[in-house]
């Protein structure tokens, strides 16, 4: 594995376009490879396996960053994607959604807020709440269904 580090770093640099991020990615890929060494098939080239681990980890990080836009990157008030013109209808809808979320049972609202608002993955939310990941998924589904039905019932009538 040590002999592959320069190649892995070059590969990571092409993915991340940053030396610091590439170093972090190489470190994470190596840690994952060592932790999961039993999964490596010796008939498979080690470099391909390491590169796949690095690529998958990087794409996973990109997905997380999309969910957590602005966290640690730029101040939220400077993020143009967060600046939208608001209308009275938007405020009313936001108030309806907040009211519906507050009306949810605590077990549903806490999971929904952790995943949908705070950007935690299902796995992270499960660990945080010390419940199985399947329970997180079913609670998210139930909460979204309740919100959808509640908002559909209260949709304003077009005039």
């Amino acid at each position: 594995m040590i002999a592959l580090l320069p190649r892995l770093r070059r590969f990571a640099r092409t993915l991340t376009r940053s030396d610091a991020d590439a170093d972090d990615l190489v470190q994470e890929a190596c840690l994952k490879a060592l932790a999961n060494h039993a999964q490596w098939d010796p008939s498979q080239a080690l470099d391909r396996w390491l590169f796949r681990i690095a690529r998958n980890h990087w794409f996973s990080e990109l997905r997380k960053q999309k969910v957590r836009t602005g966290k640690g990157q730029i101040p939220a008030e400077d993020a143009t994607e967060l600046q939208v013109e608001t209308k009275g209808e938007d405020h009313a809808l936001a108030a309806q959604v907040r009211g519906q979320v507050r009306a949810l049972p605590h077990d549903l609202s806490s999971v929904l807020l952790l995943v949908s608002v705070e950007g935690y993955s299902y796995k992270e939310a499960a660990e945080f709440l010390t419940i199985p990941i399947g329970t997180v998924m079913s609670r998210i589904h139930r909460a979204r269904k309740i919100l959808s039905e509640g908002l559909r019932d209260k949709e304003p009538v077009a005039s």
Side-chain angles (χ1 to χ4, degrees):
M1 186 185 313
I2 292 173
L4 294 173
L5 288 179
R7 289 179 54 213
L8 185 58
R9 186 166 191 273
R10 275 192 304 274
F11 177 71
R13 210 173 315 141
T14 63
L15 289 173
T16 65
R17 309 224 189 301
S18 159
D19 288 342
D21 288 341
D23 290 339
D24 291 343
L25 180 57
V26 167
Q27 182 177 357
E28 287 298 320
C30 289
L31 286 172
K32 284 186 175 192
L34 290 172
N36 299 306
H37 71 280
Q39 294 178 0
W40 176 56
D41 179 7
S43 66
Q44 178 186 16
L46 182 60
D47 59 345
R48 276 195 213 146
W49 187 62
L50 284 171
F51 285 14
R52 190 175 330 115
I53 290 171
R55 186 195 68 213
N56 290 344
H57 182 75
W58 180 247
F59 289 151
S60 178
E61 287 300 310
L62 288 177
R63 280 190 298 274
K64 287 179 188 176
Q65 286 176 5
K66 284 182 182 176
V67 170
R68 299 175 184 154
T69 300
K71 186 170 185 177
Q73 305 294 320
I74 59 173
E77 58 273 4
D78 296 339
T80 56
E81 66 270 9
L82 297 177
Q83 298 171 356
V84 295
E85 290 184 33
T86 57
K87 303 173 191 165
E89 300 162 357
D90 295 336
H91 288 294
L93 181 59
Q96 278 183 329
V97 170
R98 282 193 300 274
Q100 292 284 327
V101 170
R102 278 193 292 269
L104 288 172
H106 178 71
D107 60 332
L108 298 181
S109 65
S110 61
V111 172
L112 181 71
L113 291 175
L114 281 173
V115 173
S116 298
V117 176
E118 296 299 328
Y120 288 103
S121 69
Y122 287 1
K123 181 180 178 186
E124 291 168 328
E127 290 170 357
F128 184 74
L129 298 171
T130 61
I131 58 176
I133 194 167
T135 303
V136 169
M137 293 180 344
S138 68
R139 287 180 182 176
I140 290 283
H141 176 75
R142 277 190 293 151
R144 288 177 178 163
K145 185 175 180 183
I146 291 169
L147 287 177
S148 174
E149 290 170 355
L151 292 173
R152 192 177 325 117
D153 293 342
K154 294 184 178 186
E155 257 186 82
V157 177
S159 46

